[in-house]
Amino acid sequence: MKMTKFFAWLAIAVGVIYFFVPLLGTFEFSLRMRRGEYSFDAYGSVFSDAAFRATFGFSMLMALLTIIFGMLLIVPTAYWVRLRVPQMRPVMEFITLMPLVIPAIVIVFGYLRLYNSSSYIPFTGSTFGTNVLLVMSYITLSLPYMYRSVDTAMRTIDVRTLTEAAEILGAKWPTILFRCIFPNVMSGVLSGAFITFAIVMGEFTMAALLNRPAFGPYLQLVGANKAYEPSALAVIAFAITWLSMGLLQLVSRFSKMAPSRA
């Protein structure tokens, strides 16, 4: 028993050293912008940069739109598959896993080939159309996480009984979907939303190839031209990711506590 505890604590210590020592080194280096003393000058330089505010705001907007439209696509699809065509679930799982298998650069090149300015649907012919295409790209990237989060949440409820009860009471399918299904799978939706937010905020390939002013390309640009600001940005990006993961854990804990309260 003592040896088991020893190896368990040893594994935890190795994990902490592996993950947090590089982060601490990055944070310490970000404080060295002022010669001979520690300061937050690098962070001040980052936050005062208009490009940082513009790219960060753009990525926040893209993340919000991705979450909204991804939710409106995934929840009805997962609901319909589970209710009407449960035999199609393996096919849906295979389709939603494809973004994990196909590299992002291949997906975005396919989009550029299909939706360039000379095609029948010229998304890249305007700024608005390119932004729409970027949101579609982000929805594709988030499919594996959003679909599985929603599908897992739907396993905890009796979709068929809930639907039949609502139909007996005279509810139409929009009412059933938005007033019965959505509230019951909200924990899964929020879990997928936080993961999607973290993905969008750090994504580089699609935003760069579509030439959009996103946060990922800004990180690369600053990293190629400055010394201390990239470390500050790395710490900020790490904080955003861990905030999303913390919120995900909080939502998961509340979803586990909900049945016991009922």
Side-chain angles (χ1 to χ4, degrees):
M1 183 65 69
K2 291 183 178 180
M3 290 297 295
T4 303
K5 289 184 178 180
F6 170 76
F7 283 113
W9 282 107
L10 179 63
I12 293 173
V14 171
V16 169
I17 292 172
Y18 182 81
F19 286 106
F20 286 100
V21 169
L23 178 63
L24 290 175
T26 303
F27 177 68
E28 192 270 343
F29 183 77
S30 70
L31 302 176
R32 289 180 173 270
M33 190 172 181
R34 188 179 302 177
R35 187 179 297 274
E37 59 179 306
Y38 289 130
S39 70
F40 288 93
D41 291 353
Y43 294 89
S45 176
V46 167
F47 288 120
S48 63
D49 187 1
F52 167 79
R53 296 192 296 270
T55 56
F56 190 83
F58 179 83
S59 288
M60 287 278 288
L61 177 61
M62 292 296 104
L64 180 61
L65 293 175
T66 301
I67 290 168
I68 292 173
F69 288 106
M71 176 182 63
L72 293 176
L73 172 66
I74 295 300
V75 175
T77 302
Y79 167 68
W80 184 259
V81 169
R82 181 168 287 274
L83 181 67
R84 300 299 184 187
V85 284
Q87 67 273 13
M88 291 295 292
R89 285 191 63 217
V91 177
M92 287 300 302
E93 291 181 357
F94 175 79
I95 292 173
T96 56
L97 278 175
M98 293 303 291
L100 296 178
V101 179
I102 303 174
I105 191 169
V106 176
I107 296 175
V108 72
F109 266 117
Y111 285 159
L112 288 171
R113 188 66 181 265
L114 286 173
Y115 305 116
N116 58 55
S117 56
S118 61
S119 67
Y120 291 106
I121 310 177
F123 277 121
T124 60
S126 65
T127 300
F128 176 78
T130 307
N131 289 339
V132 171
L133 187 58
L134 183 61
V135 171
M136 292 168 56
S137 303
Y138 287 157
I139 291 174
T140 302
L141 285 183
S142 65
L143 273 179
Y145 314 101
M146 182 69 81
Y147 181 83
R148 267 156 187 74
S149 297
V150 172
D151 187 61
T152 301
M154 283 194 179
R155 291 179 186 178
T156 63
I157 62 175
D158 191 341
V159 173
R160 186 173 300 277
T161 302
L162 193 62
T163 302
E164 290 175 352
E167 288 176 342
I168 291 173
L169 294 174
K172 303 298 183 181
W173 78 265
T175 304
I176 296 172
L177 189 60
F178 288 101
R179 300 192 62 179
C180 298
I181 302 302
F182 264 96
N184 282 284
V185 299
M186 191 53 65
S187 62
V189 169
L190 291 176
S191 298
F194 293 135
I195 298 175
T196 300
F197 177 79
I199 292 172
V200 172
M201 292 304 297
E203 202 281 327
F204 168 77
T205 305
M206 292 183 170
L209 291 177
L210 290 174
N211 195 27
R212 303 312 302 137
F215 190 55
Y218 172 78
L219 290 174
Q220 189 276 333
L221 180 64
V222 173
N225 294 281
K226 296 184 179 181
Y228 300 98
E229 287 85 347
S231 298
L233 282 170
V235 174
I236 293 170
F238 185 84
I240 293 171
T241 302
W242 275 87
L243 177 63
S244 300
M245 297 304 295
L247 291 173
L248 173 60
Q249 291 295 324
L250 190 63
V251 169
S252 300
R253 180 174 299 180
F254 281 141
S255 66
K256 292 178 181 178
M257 292 172 60
S260 61
R261 292 180 180 178

PDB file of all heavy atoms in Angstrom, residues 86-114:
ATOM      1  N   PRO A  86     -32.169   5.694 -35.074  1.00  0.00           N
ATOM      2  CA  PRO A  86     -31.055   5.306 -34.185  1.00  0.00           C
ATOM      3  C   PRO A  86     -30.025   4.419 -34.869  1.00  0.00           C
ATOM      4  O   PRO A  86     -28.869   4.363 -34.431  1.00  0.00           O
ATOM      5  CB  PRO A  86     -31.771   4.559 -33.048  1.00  0.00           C
ATOM      6  CG  PRO A  86     -33.080   4.136 -33.620  1.00  0.00           C
ATOM      7  CD  PRO A  86     -33.469   5.203 -34.596  1.00  0.00           C
ATOM      8  N   GLN A  87     -30.415   3.734 -35.965  1.00  0.00           N
ATOM      9  CA  GLN A  87     -29.442   2.894 -36.676  1.00  0.00           C
ATOM     10  C   GLN A  87     -28.375   3.732 -37.381  1.00  0.00           C
ATOM     11  O   GLN A  87     -27.343   3.185 -37.808  1.00  0.00           O
ATOM     12  CB  GLN A  87     -30.168   1.992 -37.693  1.00  0.00           C
ATOM     13  CG  GLN A  87     -30.825   2.727 -38.851  1.00  0.00           C
ATOM     14  CD  GLN A  87     -32.230   3.193 -38.530  1.00  0.00           C
ATOM     15  OE1 GLN A  87     -32.644   3.181 -37.361  1.00  0.00           O
ATOM     16  NE2 GLN A  87     -32.947   3.593 -39.557  1.00  0.00           N
ATOM     17  N   MET A  88     -28.610   5.043 -37.520  1.00  0.00           N
ATOM     18  CA  MET A  88     -27.644   5.913 -38.174  1.00  0.00           C
ATOM     19  C   MET A  88     -26.610   6.490 -37.203  1.00  0.00           C
ATOM     20  O   MET A  88     -25.724   7.224 -37.621  1.00  0.00           O
ATOM     21  CB  MET A  88     -28.378   7.075 -38.856  1.00  0.00           C
ATOM     22  CG  MET A  88     -29.221   6.676 -40.058  1.00  0.00           C
ATOM     23  SD  MET A  88     -28.189   6.043 -41.405  1.00  0.00           S
ATOM     24  CE  MET A  88     -27.313   7.535 -41.874  1.00  0.00           C
ATOM     25  N   ARG A  89     -26.701   6.152 -35.936  1.00  0.00           N
ATOM     26  CA  ARG A  89     -25.765   6.704 -34.951  1.00  0.00           C
ATOM     27  C   ARG A  89     -24.312   6.354 -35.256  1.00  0.00           C
ATOM     28  O   ARG A  89     -23.431   7.223 -35.158  1.00  0.00           O
ATOM     29  CB  ARG A  89     -26.133   6.246 -33.542  1.00  0.00           C
ATOM     30  CG  ARG A  89     -27.360   6.959 -32.975  1.00  0.00           C
ATOM     31  CD  ARG A  89     -27.529   6.668 -31.500  1.00  0.00           C
ATOM     32  NE  ARG A  89     -26.399   7.166 -30.747  1.00  0.00           N
ATOM     33  CZ  ARG A  89     -25.868   6.543 -29.694  1.00  0.00           C
ATOM     34  NH1 ARG A  89     -26.356   5.383 -29.300  1.00  0.00           N
ATOM     35  NH2 ARG A  89     -24.858   7.062 -29.049  1.00  0.00           N
ATOM     36  N   PRO A  90     -23.993   5.096 -35.640  1.00  0.00           N
ATOM     37  CA  PRO A  90     -22.595   4.823 -36.002  1.00  0.00           C
ATOM     38  C   PRO A  90     -22.110   5.666 -37.178  1.00  0.00           C
ATOM     39  O   PRO A  90     -20.952   6.093 -37.200  1.00  0.00           O
ATOM     40  CB  PRO A  90     -22.610   3.325 -36.347  1.00  0.00           C
ATOM     41  CG  PRO A  90     -23.789   2.775 -35.630  1.00  0.00           C
ATOM     42  CD  PRO A  90     -24.803   3.867 -35.641  1.00  0.00           C
ATOM     43  N   VAL A  91     -23.001   5.908 -38.150  1.00  0.00           N
ATOM     44  CA  VAL A  91     -22.618   6.738 -39.296  1.00  0.00           C
ATOM     45  C   VAL A  91     -22.345   8.165 -38.853  1.00  0.00           C
ATOM     46  O   VAL A  91     -21.364   8.788 -39.274  1.00  0.00           O
ATOM     47  CB  VAL A  91     -23.731   6.706 -40.376  1.00  0.00           C
ATOM     48  CG1 VAL A  91     -23.368   7.619 -41.544  1.00  0.00           C
ATOM     49  CG2 VAL A  91     -23.960   5.283 -40.855  1.00  0.00           C
ATOM     50  N   MET A  92     -23.209   8.711 -37.980  1.00  0.00           N
ATOM     51  CA  MET A  92     -23.014  10.066 -37.483  1.00  0.00           C
ATOM     52  C   MET A  92     -21.733  10.172 -36.666  1.00  0.00           C
ATOM     53  O   MET A  92     -21.003  11.165 -36.763  1.00  0.00           O
ATOM     54  CB  MET A  92     -24.210  10.484 -36.636  1.00  0.00           C
ATOM     55  CG  MET A  92     -25.470  10.770 -37.431  1.00  0.00           C
ATOM     56  SD  MET A  92     -25.240  12.119 -38.624  1.00  0.00           S
ATOM     57  CE  MET A  92     -24.739  13.448 -37.534  1.00  0.00           C
ATOM     58  N   GLU A  93     -21.444   9.171 -35.864  1.00  0.00           N
ATOM     59  CA  GLU A  93     -20.207   9.194 -35.080  1.00  0.00           C
ATOM     60  C   GLU A  93     -18.989   9.167 -35.995  1.00  0.00           C
ATOM     61  O   GLU A  93     -17.993   9.857 -35.736  1.00  0.00           O
ATOM     62  CB  GLU A  93     -20.187   8.007 -34.115  1.00  0.00           C
ATOM     63  CG  GLU A  93     -21.207   8.121 -32.994  1.00  0.00           C
ATOM     64  CD  GLU A  93     -21.149   6.944 -32.049  1.00  0.00           C
ATOM     65  OE1 GLU A  93     -20.353   6.011 -32.306  1.00  0.00           O
ATOM     66  OE2 GLU A  93     -21.904   6.946 -31.046  1.00  0.00           O
ATOM     67  N   PHE A  94     -19.069   8.395 -37.070  1.00  0.00           N
ATOM     68  CA  PHE A  94     -17.960   8.355 -38.022  1.00  0.00           C
ATOM     69  C   PHE A  94     -17.784   9.710 -38.703  1.00  0.00           C
ATOM     70  O   PHE A  94     -16.657  10.209 -38.835  1.00  0.00           O
ATOM     71  CB  PHE A  94     -18.214   7.267 -39.061  1.00  0.00           C
ATOM     72  CG  PHE A  94     -17.188   7.214 -40.158  1.00  0.00           C
ATOM     73  CD1 PHE A  94     -15.956   6.614 -39.942  1.00  0.00           C
ATOM     74  CD2 PHE A  94     -17.438   7.782 -41.406  1.00  0.00           C
ATOM     75  CE1 PHE A  94     -14.999   6.572 -40.942  1.00  0.00           C
ATOM     76  CE2 PHE A  94     -16.497   7.744 -42.404  1.00  0.00           C
ATOM     77  CZ  PHE A  94     -15.266   7.143 -42.183  1.00  0.00           C
ATOM     78  N   ILE A  95     -18.883  10.319 -39.128  1.00  0.00           N
ATOM     79  CA  ILE A  95     -18.811  11.607 -39.816  1.00  0.00           C
ATOM     80  C   ILE A  95     -18.242  12.680 -38.893  1.00  0.00           C
ATOM     81  O   ILE A  95     -17.380  13.481 -39.294  1.00  0.00           O
ATOM     82  CB  ILE A  95     -20.202  12.016 -40.333  1.00  0.00           C
ATOM     83  CG1 ILE A  95     -20.646  11.069 -41.456  1.00  0.00           C
ATOM     84  CG2 ILE A  95     -20.189  13.461 -40.845  1.00  0.00           C
ATOM     85  CD1 ILE A  95     -22.062  11.294 -41.919  1.00  0.00           C
ATOM     86  N   THR A  96     -18.693  12.718 -37.653  1.00  0.00           N
ATOM     87  CA  THR A  96     -18.226  13.753 -36.730  1.00  0.00           C
ATOM     88  C   THR A  96     -16.789  13.532 -36.276  1.00  0.00           C
ATOM     89  O   THR A  96     -16.166  14.453 -35.744  1.00  0.00           O
ATOM     90  CB  THR A  96     -19.144  13.822 -35.496  1.00  0.00           C
ATOM     91  OG1 THR A  96     -19.216  12.530 -34.874  1.00  0.00           O
ATOM     92  CG2 THR A  96     -20.533  14.266 -35.898  1.00  0.00           C
ATOM     93  N   LEU A  97     -16.263  12.327 -36.485  1.00  0.00           N
ATOM     94  CA  LEU A  97     -14.858  12.076 -36.154  1.00  0.00           C
ATOM     95  C   LEU A  97     -13.897  12.480 -37.276  1.00  0.00           C
ATOM     96  O   LEU A  97     -12.697  12.573 -37.053  1.00  0.00           O
ATOM     97  CB  LEU A  97     -14.641  10.593 -35.825  1.00  0.00           C
ATOM     98  CG  LEU A  97     -14.993  10.137 -34.417  1.00  0.00           C
ATOM     99  CD1 LEU A  97     -14.837   8.630 -34.305  1.00  0.00           C
ATOM    100  CD2 LEU A  97     -14.127  10.832 -33.372  1.00  0.00           C
ATOM    101  N   MET A  98     -14.428  12.707 -38.462  1.00  0.00           N
ATOM    102  CA  MET A  98     -13.578  13.015 -39.608  1.00  0.00           C
ATOM    103  C   MET A  98     -12.674  14.230 -39.406  1.00  0.00           C
ATOM    104  O   MET A  98     -11.513  14.219 -39.836  1.00  0.00           O
ATOM    105  CB  MET A  98     -14.445  13.197 -40.864  1.00  0.00           C
ATOM    106  CG  MET A  98     -15.127  11.930 -41.339  1.00  0.00           C
ATOM    107  SD  MET A  98     -13.968  10.584 -41.672  1.00  0.00           S
ATOM    108  CE  MET A  98     -13.142  11.230 -43.128  1.00  0.00           C
ATOM    109  N   PRO A  99     -13.137  15.324 -38.758  1.00  0.00           N
ATOM    110  CA  PRO A  99     -12.216  16.459 -38.545  1.00  0.00           C
ATOM    111  C   PRO A  99     -10.994  16.134 -37.701  1.00  0.00           C
ATOM    112  O   PRO A  99      -9.998  16.866 -37.760  1.00  0.00           O
ATOM    113  CB  PRO A  99     -13.113  17.499 -37.836  1.00  0.00           C
ATOM    114  CG  PRO A  99     -14.488  17.156 -38.270  1.00  0.00           C
ATOM    115  CD  PRO A  99     -14.514  15.663 -38.385  1.00  0.00           C
ATOM    116  N   LEU A 100     -11.062  15.048 -36.918  1.00  0.00           N
ATOM    117  CA  LEU A 100      -9.885  14.631 -36.158  1.00  0.00           C
ATOM    118  C   LEU A 100      -8.891  13.866 -37.021  1.00  0.00           C
ATOM    119  O   LEU A 100      -7.712  13.762 -36.680  1.00  0.00           O
ATOM    120  CB  LEU A 100     -10.307  13.754 -34.973  1.00  0.00           C
ATOM    121  CG  LEU A 100     -11.160  14.415 -33.892  1.00  0.00           C
ATOM    122  CD1 LEU A 100     -11.514  13.397 -32.826  1.00  0.00           C
ATOM    123  CD2 LEU A 100     -10.437  15.611 -33.281  1.00  0.00           C
ATOM    124  N   VAL A 101      -9.381  13.318 -38.134  1.00  0.00           N
ATOM    125  CA  VAL A 101      -8.543  12.509 -39.022  1.00  0.00           C
ATOM    126  C   VAL A 101      -7.971  13.352 -40.157  1.00  0.00           C
ATOM    127  O   VAL A 101      -6.803  13.209 -40.525  1.00  0.00           O
ATOM    128  CB  VAL A 101      -9.353  11.322 -39.590  1.00  0.00           C
ATOM    129  CG1 VAL A 101      -8.507  10.478 -40.528  1.00  0.00           C
ATOM    130  CG2 VAL A 101      -9.927  10.476 -38.462  1.00  0.00           C
ATOM    131  N   ILE A 102      -8.798  14.229 -40.711  1.00  0.00           N
ATOM    132  CA  ILE A 102      -8.366  15.069 -41.833  1.00  0.00           C
ATOM    133  C   ILE A 102      -7.717  16.331 -41.284  1.00  0.00           C
ATOM    134  O   ILE A 102      -8.339  17.048 -40.500  1.00  0.00           O
ATOM    135  CB  ILE A 102      -9.563  15.435 -42.730  1.00  0.00           C
ATOM    136  CG1 ILE A 102     -10.265  14.168 -43.227  1.00  0.00           C
ATOM    137  CG2 ILE A 102      -9.119  16.278 -43.912  1.00  0.00           C
ATOM    138  CD1 ILE A 102     -11.542  14.438 -43.989  1.00  0.00           C
ATOM    139  N   PRO A 103      -6.504  16.661 -41.679  1.00  0.00           N
ATOM    140  CA  PRO A 103      -5.847  17.880 -41.179  1.00  0.00           C
ATOM    141  C   PRO A 103      -6.626  19.132 -41.551  1.00  0.00           C
ATOM    142  O   PRO A 103      -7.288  19.194 -42.590  1.00  0.00           O
ATOM    143  CB  PRO A 103      -4.472  17.846 -41.858  1.00  0.00           C
ATOM    144  CG  PRO A 103      -4.262  16.432 -42.260  1.00  0.00           C
ATOM    145  CD  PRO A 103      -5.616  15.870 -42.540  1.00  0.00           C
ATOM    146  N   ALA A 104      -6.521  20.139 -40.692  1.00  0.00           N
ATOM    147  CA  ALA A 104      -7.245  21.391 -40.929  1.00  0.00           C
ATOM    148  C   ALA A 104      -6.824  22.044 -42.236  1.00  0.00           C
ATOM    149  O   ALA A 104      -7.645  22.658 -42.928  1.00  0.00           O
ATOM    150  CB  ALA A 104      -7.016  22.346 -39.757  1.00  0.00           C
ATOM    151  N   ILE A 105      -5.558  21.915 -42.587  1.00  0.00           N
ATOM    152  CA  ILE A 105      -5.079  22.551 -43.820  1.00  0.00           C
ATOM    153  C   ILE A 105      -5.729  21.906 -45.051  1.00  0.00           C
ATOM    154  O   ILE A 105      -6.008  22.590 -46.047  1.00  0.00           O
ATOM    155  CB  ILE A 105      -3.535  22.469 -43.906  1.00  0.00           C
ATOM    156  CG1 ILE A 105      -3.031  23.366 -45.036  1.00  0.00           C
ATOM    157  CG2 ILE A 105      -3.054  21.031 -44.092  1.00  0.00           C
ATOM    158  CD1 ILE A 105      -1.531  23.545 -45.020  1.00  0.00           C
ATOM    159  N   VAL A 106      -6.023  20.608 -44.994  1.00  0.00           N
ATOM    160  CA  VAL A 106      -6.708  19.940 -46.099  1.00  0.00           C
ATOM    161  C   VAL A 106      -8.148  20.420 -46.192  1.00  0.00           C
ATOM    162  O   VAL A 106      -8.673  20.684 -47.287  1.00  0.00           O
ATOM    163  CB  VAL A 106      -6.652  18.409 -45.912  1.00  0.00           C
ATOM    164  CG1 VAL A 106      -7.454  17.708 -46.999  1.00  0.00           C
ATOM    165  CG2 VAL A 106      -5.208  17.926 -45.922  1.00  0.00           C
ATOM    166  N   ILE A 107      -8.812  20.565 -45.040  1.00  0.00           N
ATOM    167  CA  ILE A 107     -10.199  21.030 -45.028  1.00  0.00           C
ATOM    168  C   ILE A 107     -10.300  22.435 -45.598  1.00  0.00           C
ATOM    169  O   ILE A 107     -11.162  22.720 -46.442  1.00  0.00           O
ATOM    170  CB  ILE A 107     -10.754  20.986 -43.588  1.00  0.00           C
ATOM    171  CG1 ILE A 107     -10.796  19.543 -43.076  1.00  0.00           C
ATOM    172  CG2 ILE A 107     -12.149  21.602 -43.537  1.00  0.00           C
ATOM    173  CD1 ILE A 107     -11.209  19.423 -41.621  1.00  0.00           C
ATOM    174  N   VAL A 108      -9.414  23.332 -45.173  1.00  0.00           N
ATOM    175  CA  VAL A 108      -9.526  24.713 -45.624  1.00  0.00           C
ATOM    176  C   VAL A 108      -9.157  24.843 -47.097  1.00  0.00           C
ATOM    177  O   VAL A 108      -9.748  25.664 -47.824  1.00  0.00           O
ATOM    178  CB  VAL A 108      -8.676  25.645 -44.737  1.00  0.00           C
ATOM    179  CG1 VAL A 108      -7.189  25.467 -44.997  1.00  0.00           C
ATOM    180  CG2 VAL A 108      -9.073  27.101 -44.945  1.00  0.00           C
ATOM    181  N   PHE A 109      -8.225  24.048 -47.587  1.00  0.00           N
ATOM    182  CA  PHE A 109      -7.927  24.072 -49.017  1.00  0.00           C
ATOM    183  C   PHE A 109      -9.122  23.571 -49.829  1.00  0.00           C
ATOM    184  O   PHE A 109      -9.409  24.075 -50.920  1.00  0.00           O
ATOM    185  CB  PHE A 109      -6.687  23.233 -49.330  1.00  0.00           C
ATOM    186  CG  PHE A 109      -5.422  24.041 -49.354  1.00  0.00           C
ATOM    187  CD1 PHE A 109      -4.403  23.803 -48.442  1.00  0.00           C
ATOM    188  CD2 PHE A 109      -5.239  25.058 -50.286  1.00  0.00           C
ATOM    189  CE1 PHE A 109      -3.244  24.558 -48.456  1.00  0.00           C
ATOM    190  CE2 PHE A 109      -4.079  25.807 -50.315  1.00  0.00           C
ATOM    191  CZ  PHE A 109      -3.079  25.561 -49.395  1.00  0.00           C
ATOM    192  N   GLY A 110      -9.831  22.573 -49.306  1.00  0.00           N
ATOM    193  CA  GLY A 110     -11.046  22.121 -49.976  1.00  0.00           C
ATOM    194  C   GLY A 110     -12.102  23.215 -50.014  1.00  0.00           C
ATOM    195  O   GLY A 110     -12.771  23.411 -51.041  1.00  0.00           O
ATOM    196  N   TYR A 111     -12.257  23.947 -48.908  1.00  0.00           N
ATOM    197  CA  TYR A 111     -13.204  25.059 -48.882  1.00  0.00           C
ATOM    198  C   TYR A 111     -12.814  26.135 -49.898  1.00  0.00           C
ATOM    199  O   TYR A 111     -13.671  26.679 -50.597  1.00  0.00           O
ATOM    200  CB  TYR A 111     -13.259  25.665 -47.482  1.00  0.00           C
ATOM    201  CG  TYR A 111     -14.023  24.849 -46.478  1.00  0.00           C
ATOM    202  CD1 TYR A 111     -13.821  25.021 -45.114  1.00  0.00           C
ATOM    203  CD2 TYR A 111     -14.966  23.906 -46.878  1.00  0.00           C
ATOM    204  CE1 TYR A 111     -14.522  24.274 -44.175  1.00  0.00           C
ATOM    205  CE2 TYR A 111     -15.660  23.154 -45.955  1.00  0.00           C
ATOM    206  CZ  TYR A 111     -15.434  23.345 -44.605  1.00  0.00           C
ATOM    207  OH  TYR A 111     -16.127  22.604 -43.688  1.00  0.00           O
ATOM    208  N   LEU A 112     -11.525  26.442 -49.955  1.00  0.00           N
ATOM    209  CA  LEU A 112     -11.075  27.472 -50.895  1.00  0.00           C
ATOM    210  C   LEU A 112     -11.306  27.038 -52.340  1.00  0.00           C
ATOM    211  O   LEU A 112     -11.603  27.872 -53.209  1.00  0.00           O
ATOM    212  CB  LEU A 112      -9.590  27.770 -50.664  1.00  0.00           C
ATOM    213  CG  LEU A 112      -9.259  28.540 -49.387  1.00  0.00           C
ATOM    214  CD1 LEU A 112      -7.754  28.588 -49.163  1.00  0.00           C
ATOM    215  CD2 LEU A 112      -9.826  29.945 -49.451  1.00  0.00           C
ATOM    216  N   ARG A 113     -11.169  25.752 -52.601  1.00  0.00           N
ATOM    217  CA  ARG A 113     -11.380  25.259 -53.965  1.00  0.00           C
ATOM    218  C   ARG A 113     -12.872  25.284 -54.328  1.00  0.00           C
ATOM    219  O   ARG A 113     -13.241  25.589 -55.471  1.00  0.00           O
ATOM    220  CB  ARG A 113     -10.824  23.837 -54.080  1.00  0.00           C
ATOM    221  CG  ARG A 113     -10.804  23.275 -55.488  1.00  0.00           C
ATOM    222  CD  ARG A 113      -9.835  24.034 -56.369  1.00  0.00           C
ATOM    223  NE  ARG A 113      -9.831  23.511 -57.713  1.00  0.00           N
ATOM    224  CZ  ARG A 113      -8.956  22.597 -58.146  1.00  0.00           C
ATOM    225  NH1 ARG A 113      -8.034  22.134 -57.312  1.00  0.00           N
ATOM    226  NH2 ARG A 113      -9.003  22.180 -59.384  1.00  0.00           N
ATOM    227  N   LEU A 114     -13.720  24.978 -53.352  1.00  0.00           N
ATOM    228  CA  LEU A 114     -15.158  24.911 -53.621  1.00  0.00           C
ATOM    229  C   LEU A 114     -15.828  26.277 -53.602  1.00  0.00           C
ATOM    230  O   LEU A 114     -16.790  26.514 -54.345  1.00  0.00           O
ATOM    231  CB  LEU A 114     -15.836  24.007 -52.586  1.00  0.00           C
ATOM    232  CG  LEU A 114     -15.626  22.500 -52.731  1.00  0.00           C
ATOM    233  CD1 LEU A 114     -16.211  21.779 -51.530  1.00  0.00           C
ATOM    234  CD2 LEU A 114     -16.272  21.993 -54.014  1.00  0.00           C
TER     235      LEU A 114
END
